[in-house]
């Protein structure tokens, strides 16, 4: 299966292409975006976006990750959403970032809903989990809006920019979708 293309009311989620690299560098290069993620380096240097995008096809071919560009008709690329897959356990870890100019429009939630639906319905996942830094309540709100359940807080779980961060962990099971 080639990289899926998913449509929502306002968004198209599609594979990244090499042409997206300058926009990725600009949006993900914002300190405010990098600050609350585990994987986005800062400064986000030339070549990093290209290398990240280049890895997506083999990640998907090997079913280790599905990373999609979040796009709107008027603004083009506004962010990214992805599932890091552990198919041997029927689970995935959800991740997302949205460029600062596009925050608080519901895009992260709308994009994540679509990729989660694909994960449950097409990839046969049983569990999708996600984690956010305690100082990132907007991401926690997204996880709540996605119907995820708070499972744990791992105190001082990761070092980010020389600061220890508490990690708040959420998850949703396939069976949760059919109840309340
Ligand atoms: C977290 C992030 C993806 C949210 O994207 P978004 O498109 O703005 O998210 P949504 O609009 O779908 O939802 C955001 C929710 O958080 C709420 N929110 C925003 N700032 C908040 C704050 N400081 N405290 C509490 N809630 C906040 C919004 O009001 C909204 O909730 P609502 O719909 O109930 O009003 C975005 O801020 C981002 O990319 N941050 C940097 C990268 C990152 O942290 N990624 C996630 C790593 S776990």
């Amino acid at each position: 299966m080639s990289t899926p293309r998913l449509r929502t009311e306002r968004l198209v989620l599609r594979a990244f292409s090499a042409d997206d690299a300058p926009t990725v560098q600009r949006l993900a290069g914002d300190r405010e975006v990098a600050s609350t993620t585990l994987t986005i380096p800062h400064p986000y240097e030339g070549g990093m976006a290209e290398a990240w995008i280049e890895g997506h096809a083999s990640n998907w071919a090997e079913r280790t990750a599905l990373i999609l560009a979040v796009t709107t008709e008027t603004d083009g690329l506004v962010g990214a959403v992805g599932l890091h897959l552990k198919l041997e356990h029927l689970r995935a870890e959800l991740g997302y970032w949205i460029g600062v100019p596009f925050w608080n429009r519901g895009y992260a939630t709308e994009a994540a809903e679509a990729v989660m639906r694909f994960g449950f319905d097409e990839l046969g996942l049983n569990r999708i989990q996600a984690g956010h830094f305690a100082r990132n309540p907007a991401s926690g709100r997204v996880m709540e809006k996605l119907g995820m359940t708070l499972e744990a807080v791992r105190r001082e779980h990761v070092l980010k920019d020389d600061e220890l961060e508490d990690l708040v962990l959420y998850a949703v099971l396939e069976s949760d979708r059919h109840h309340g």
Side-chain angles (χ1 to χ4, degrees), residues 32-33 36-37 96-98 102-110 131-133 136-139 141-143 145:
E32 279 196 86
V33 171
T36 48
T37 67
Y96 42 74
W97 59 262
I98 298 290
F102 312 108
W103 284 7
N104 294 320
R105 298 184 188 180
Y107 288 163
T109 307
E110 193 168 320
H132 69 85
F133 292 166
N136 186 13
S139 188
R141 180 72 193 124
V142 171
M143 291 171 199
K145 289 195 290 179

Side-chain angles (χ1 to χ4, degrees), residues 2-6 12-17 20 24 28 39-40 44 49 51-71 77 79-85 92-97 111 115-116 118 123:
S2 60
T3 308
R5 188 182 181 90
L6 309 178
V12 173
L13 312 184
R14 53 144 177 93
F16 278 93
S17 79
D20 296 317
V24 169
T39 50
I40 301 178
Y44 200 92
W52 180 66
I53 291 167
E54 260 173 43
H56 292 174
S58 60
N59 289 343
W60 174 239
E62 292 156 18
R63 297 293 187 267
T64 53
L66 171 62
I67 312 291
L68 296 174
V70 179
T71 69
L77 177 64
V81 65
L83 293 174
H84 289 269
L85 303 167
E93 171 128 6
L94 171 72
Y96 42 74
W97 59 262
V115 82
M116 286 168 67
F118 182 85
L123 300 177

